[in-house]
Amino acid sequence: MTGGPARAASRRRWRGALRAAAPALAGLVLGVAALGPALGPGFVLRYDMVVAPDPPLAWPAAGGFPRAVPSDLIFAAAARVLPAELVQKAILLGIHVLAAAGAAALVPGGRLVPRLAAAVLYAWNAYLAQRLLLGQWALLLGYAGLPWAVRAAARGGPGRLALALLPAAAGGFQAMLVSAPAVLAVAATRPGRSWRGLAGAGGVVAAYCLPWAVPALLSGASTDPAGVDAFAARADGPYGTAGSLLALGGIWNAEAEVPGQGEWLPATARLALCLAAIAVYLHAGRGRGAARPDWWAGLLAAAAAGLAVALTGAYLPGVLRALIAWWPGFGPLRDGQAYLAPLALLVAAGFGLLAARVTAPSAGRRPGPVWPVAAVVLLAPVLVLPGAAWGAFGRLDAVAYPAEWRRVQALVNGDPAPGALVSLPWSAHRAFPWNGGRVTLDPAIKMFARRVLWNDALTVGLPDGGVLRVAGEDPKARAVGALLAGDGPLTAALRARGVRYVLLAGPDRNTFQSRLPGGTVVHAGPELTVIRL
Amino acid sequence: MLRVFAALIAGAVLAVGASVAVVNVASPTPKAPDRPLYNYGSR
């Protein structure tokens, strides 16, 4: 007699748990769909996303701004527990899961469809896809944790905020820079705010910034104002730069565009969807009190500020150039599109509110079914950006390092003698045939447990076929670059600068090998040569 | 029922747009040239 009610209660519990987990599950499904082949065996190497097997567990050496602090160290620590390639896949999938679950948690009311709508949009949009194609996984950790950080800032309490900001803290530099404005704005505008609460939030943010802020201030690194012209937002569709940014795209790099995102019909639908979500969000803020979420004003302020930074780089680059020339600390503002993360969250929250309206039970005499409307709403973010599927149609893939790279890594890391390694050819980026010709940051930078000197100057191709050069930030690398640019033997000069190894990769190895007389070739393989000085 | 019809029409338009984009994207891309130096993308 008691079996029936017990079974019903158990069913209710399971249903409740499934409803609670649905946004995270949606994030998982979207993550699998977005990453596709990148989840296969091997490493995903594309632009800034360079991870190596057995990464060294060491605080990154000084030189340039510490962009990979503490993300590389945390990655290396995790790679002591799991294989590095699995850690990378867990992070990439985890970004989608955390982002989806967080966006859903922000939507007021307990209805499933609005929560799922916000989750789907926040885990599948142009910002996330473009940053993924640029390989900026550390920034995306901040993006994924942003909804949780906003929620914690709205509730108050430094402990809660410290927990919610952990993903951004792990991501470091850029992740904290896109999270901090939203957190501080929400803490400053939430109902029941106090100076003490704001100071607590500021303290948590400041503490999490210390690992990279202190080395950055002590690095002596400089920032080239030309970076504003290289990294300002640009149009990636038919609606100009402003239209691209409002649709959450507009990344500076044409190679990081989502395939097919310029097609006019999906581009139009994407912009319309984002504008509708923004309109609903703004409308929701008209009423005060319980109807307006506590984070509403703060998120709006952070989204507007982020959009303003991106627009300034695109339309008033002189302002940013002057700021960077005045103080290199303004350098991070050059990639203004990165600061659209709060706008992406605002659009996701607005889309959730929009979904709540269009799927509300109707009061008519013959109400139609809601599920077709819900299905279209939930599929819409994917249908307006279909090119993000399956690793953006193969642009993200997993590959294995050739055995030669592992041998060289073991050889250099097995040498206890101190001394830096110079990575040649003197350029930051490589495109190996074994990586499908995808352009990636030089893997040598992440492989060795010693200082790696590499050319951190960046070159960006221009539409007219020219190249824009952004000067490097590391003074020691600049000195080595000046040496290499000259003629004659290099061995003595490199030794004097504390260099022990020279790693030569690619087809023009002979150019440099002849300039290193007296060096000992300790490895010569099909792709790499290592010379000990 | 009106909003169901509107949703179905919107869904059909989005599906057509997505299908066209996918067909265009799925066409083969040229192989990257083998050269020693590469840009950090292009504008």
Side-chain angles (χ1 to χ4, degrees), chain B residues 14-28:
Chain B
L14 292 180
V16 167
S19 305
V20 171
V22 165
V23 168
N24 289 341
V25 165
S27 55

Side-chain angles (χ1 to χ4, degrees), chain A residues 178-516:
Chain A
V178 301
S179 304
V183 165
L184 296 177
V186 170
T189 56
R190 72 186 180 93
R193 59 190 172 271
S194 66
W195 285 110
R196 198 173 158 187
L198 183 58
V204 172
V205 168
Y208 279 161
C209 289
L210 284 179
W212 53 265
V214 173
L217 292 171
L218 299 176
S219 68
S222 59
T223 303
D224 187 351
V228 175
D229 301 303
F231 304 124
R234 60 183 281 284
D236 57 16
Y239 297 104
T241 303
S244 301
L245 291 169
L246 284 168
L248 305 180
I251 198 165
W252 64 268
N253 189 348
E255 316 296 332
E257 279 180 20
V258 182
Q261 79 169 86
E263 301 261 349
W264 75 268
L265 183 50
T268 305
R270 198 165 55 247
L271 181 58
L273 186 153
C274 290
L275 290 177
I278 292 170
V280 172
Y281 185 93
L282 293 175
H283 189 263
R286 290 197 315 171
R288 287 182 171 271
R292 191 163 108 173
D294 293 348
W295 38 262
W296 185 89
L299 183 58
L300 177 62
L307 183 62
V309 170
L311 289 170
T312 303
Y315 294 107
L316 298 168
V319 175
L320 287 188
R321 274 199 298 265
L323 283 173
I324 293 170
W326 178 59
W327 184 49
F330 284 112
L333 297 182
R334 65 189 188 180
D335 183 3
Q337 194 261 2
Y339 299 92
L340 287 192
L343 179 66
L345 184 55
L346 183 152
V347 169
F351 190 58
L353 297 170
L354 177 66
R357 288 190 186 189
V358 299
T359 61
S362 56
R365 277 184 301 173
R366 294 180 58 195
V370 167
W371 68 264
V373 185
V376 171
V377 165
L378 295 181
L379 284 174
V382 179
L383 291 176
V384 299
L385 195 66
W390 204 244
F393 283 80
R395 281 149 183 84
L396 293 171
D397 201 355
V399 297
Y401 275 96
E404 186 185 9
W405 279 87
R406 304 299 305 273
R407 280 200 299 277
V408 165
Q409 185 189 29
L411 188 152
V412 174
N413 286 348
D415 178 4
L421 178 144
V422 171
S423 184
L424 298 175
W426 196 239
S427 167
H429 292 91
R430 310 278 189 264
F432 300 107
W434 50 265
N435 191 27
R438 295 175 190 86
V439 178
T440 179
L441 197 64
D442 181 2
I445 299 164
K446 309 284 184 179
M447 275 199 160
F448 302 110
R450 61 180 69 229
R451 175 85 143 92
V452 176
L453 291 165
W454 56 287
N455 184 2
D456 64 343
L458 298 171
T459 57
V460 174
L462 297 173
D464 62 3
V467 169
L468 202 159
R469 294 179 200 285
V470 182
E473 297 168 348
D474 181 1
K476 199 163 182 181
R478 272 204 301 274
V480 171
L483 268 181
L484 296 170
D487 294 323
L490 296 164
T491 313
L494 288 177
R495 274 187 191 141
R497 281 169 172 73
V499 175
R500 180 164 173 79
Y501 286 101
V502 176
L503 172 70
L504 305 164
D508 62 344
R509 284 180 281 175
N510 292 336
T511 311
F512 294 105
Q513 206 165 336
S514 60
R515 296 180 65 191
L516 296 167

Side-chain angles (χ1 to χ4, degrees), chain A residues 232 252 254-255 263 360 459 461, chain B residues 3-4 24 37 39-43:
Chain A
W252 64 268
E255 316 296 332
E263 301 261 349
T459 57
Chain B
R3 67 175 168 176
V4 174
N24 289 341
L37 304 178
N39 292 336
Y40 182 31
S42 54
R43 289 185 60 83

Side-chain angles (χ1 to χ4, degrees), chain A residues 100-127:
Chain A
L106 276 188
V107 178
R111 288 181 53 214
L112 183 59
V113 171
R115 290 170 57 230
L116 278 177
V120 172
L121 195 144
Y122 198 60
W124 193 288
N125 60 61
Y127 180 91

